[in-house]
Amino acid sequence: MVRSTLWFVCYWGAIVWLALSLTGCSGNEALASPQQEMTVPAAGASPVATPFATSTPLVPAGAAEPASVGETPMASATASPTPLSLLALLPTPTPTPEPTQLPVYAPTPDGVARTMRVPILMYHYLSEPPPDADVYRRDLSVSPAQFAEHLDRMLAEGYTTVSLYAVVDALQRGAPLPDKPVVITFDDGYRDNYENAFPLLRERGMVATIFVITDFMDEQRPAYLTWDMAREMLAAGISIESHGRNHVSLAGKDDDYLVWQALGSLETIEYELGVRPRFISYPAGEYDQRTIDIFQSAHYWAGVTTRQGATLDNQRLFELPRVRVRNTTTADELMRLLSLDW
């Protein structure tokens, strides 16, 4: 009786083994990772796992395999050629996504001392001042109509707007600039720069730079730009650079405070916009040599001041002069300022 039972078990065991061999199931497939298969290594080489190519979604362990109604799941056409390996149990590495924007590197100076005349215009508000505006608000306000006249006159006189990046490249390496280059900048990052200046610039294919106060934007102050506005302008070719965190004078401050200002505004802009600012406009035009040293050590490329003038010097990149545009600056007066040799 015992011999009959053993014969019966062995007989059916052999039948099951034969069936599994014919269908290509090795017995280890149930333990293999569903995300990987093993390739046959060359002699002496270690086995290498390769991503499992399939368009079928992965199923969690223990869950039933989905199948379309009326379809019979088909067995794999090929058997696993190797036994189970520890490599098969390791998770598939997640590929590192490519950066959406390549880093921008400072132009390497060629050692030539250069000066060149490139007017950097300094605007602030781009709107009509309210009736109760103080003298400063009125002086710093340029109306949209007045700004449009400025832009049209510059185009008619052959001026071409360029970025500060192009200017530094020209100063450091002698890169070419248009015959009559001009830089348009806005300090403080007021919301009317987006509402009024941006459409006029975009219509004419002109570029500009806006120096923003990052804490004011984070606080969502209604008079200042939002980060969404900044993102839209950046995508259209408008540079967004630093005007500090909170518009406090940088002159006479200790190193810790200056690092807080330099890195704080830089990292905020980089986090929000995905680009690293390279230029600082000193709040209220106030700075000292320690300010320059700290911002330079934070890998800013240059700084713009409120000092009047249009001659730029690559030996003083952190003290670039600008041409202030006021409420009283007509298109004729602007042309006179642009033509000055100062």
Side-chain angles (χ1 to χ4, degrees):
M1 180 66 180
V2 172
R3 292 178 62 185
S4 299
T5 303
L6 289 173
W7 178 88
F8 180 84
V9 170
C10 291
Y11 173 81
W12 285 106
I15 294 298
V16 171
W17 177 85
L18 179 60
L20 290 174
S21 298
L22 292 175
T23 59
C25 179
S26 67
N28 285 331
E29 291 179 10
L31 299 177
S33 168
Q35 300 180 11
Q36 295 176 334
E37 63 181 356
M38 300 299 296
T39 58
V40 180
S46 301
V48 179
T50 57
F52 186 72
T54 177
S55 59
T56 305
L58 300 179
V59 181
E65 184 74 19
S68 301
V69 177
E71 291 185 358
T72 302
M74 299 180 64
S76 172
T78 58
S80 176
T82 60
L84 178 66
S85 166
L86 289 177
L87 287 176
L89 300 178
L90 295 176
T92 303
T94 302
T96 302
E98 292 295 325
T100 56
Q101 180 162 343
L102 296 176
V104 179
Y105 298 100
T108 302
D110 59 8
V112 177
R114 288 187 184 86
T115 60
M116 57 182 59
R117 199 177 68 81
V118 180
I120 303 176
L121 300 179
M122 176 176 52
Y123 290 86
H124 289 79
Y125 292 98
L126 212 290
S127 58
E128 295 281 1
D132 60 347
D134 59 25
V135 62
Y136 301 106
R137 173 68 163 91
R138 291 196 300 272
D139 181 54
L140 297 177
S141 298
V142 173
S143 71
Q146 184 180 359
F147 186 60
E149 290 179 5
H150 290 176
L151 299 182
D152 290 339
R153 186 67 176 273
M154 281 189 279
L155 290 174
E157 297 289 339
Y159 285 94
T160 302
T161 55
V162 297
S163 71
L164 288 170
Y165 292 86
V167 170
V168 169
D169 198 16
L171 284 168
Q172 296 287 62
R173 298 193 307 114
L177 287 174
D179 289 339
K180 299 174 75 173
V182 61
V183 179
I184 296 176
T185 67
F186 293 88
D187 276 8
D188 303 328
Y190 295 113
R191 189 164 297 192
D192 59 22
N193 295 175
Y194 171 81
E195 295 171 340
N196 298 329
F198 178 46
L200 296 172
L201 290 164
R202 184 169 49 184
E203 288 170 5
R204 293 160 176 79
M206 303 172 80
V207 298
T209 296
I210 300 179
F211 292 100
V212 301
I213 305 168
T214 55
D215 282 5
F216 291 3
M217 294 176 70
D218 285 344
E219 294 162 6
Q220 300 181 4
R221 298 194 183 189
Y224 294 84
L225 295 171
T226 68
W227 288 113
D228 282 341
M229 293 173 183
R231 276 186 278 273
E232 182 182 346
M233 289 191 291
L234 180 68
I238 305 298
S239 300
I240 307 297
E241 306 294 335
S242 174
H243 200 36
R245 293 189 57 156
N246 51 10
H247 207 268
V248 172
S249 171
L250 302 179
K253 299 297 192 295
D254 61 31
D255 287 3
D256 288 344
Y257 184 82
L258 293 172
V259 168
W260 180 76
Q261 286 280 358
L263 292 184
S265 59
L266 180 153
E267 290 172 354
T268 300
I269 293 173
E270 186 172 25
Y271 172 79
E272 291 288 350
L273 305 183
V275 296
R276 181 179 287 256
R278 299 295 184 177
F279 299 92
I280 173 66
S281 171
Y282 308 109
E286 298 175 353
Y287 65 97
D288 53 23
Q289 186 58 47
R290 199 63 195 148
T291 305
I292 293 174
D293 293 342
I294 293 296
F295 275 84
Q296 190 168 22
S297 70
H299 303 295
Y300 285 77
W301 293 2
V304 296
T305 69
T306 57
R307 181 169 57 88
Q308 289 281 91
T311 300
L312 313 183
D313 186 342
N314 68 355
Q315 305 302 302
R316 302 180 66 187
L317 287 178
F318 281 83
E319 296 182 276
L320 300 179
R322 289 189 287 178
V323 177
R324 182 183 291 272
V325 182
R326 303 179 181 276
N327 177 270
T328 56
T329 305
T330 64
D332 288 340
E333 173 64 9
L334 181 63
M335 290 303 104
R336 186 187 73 81
L337 295 172
L338 291 178
S339 66
L340 290 178
D341 187 11
W342 54 344

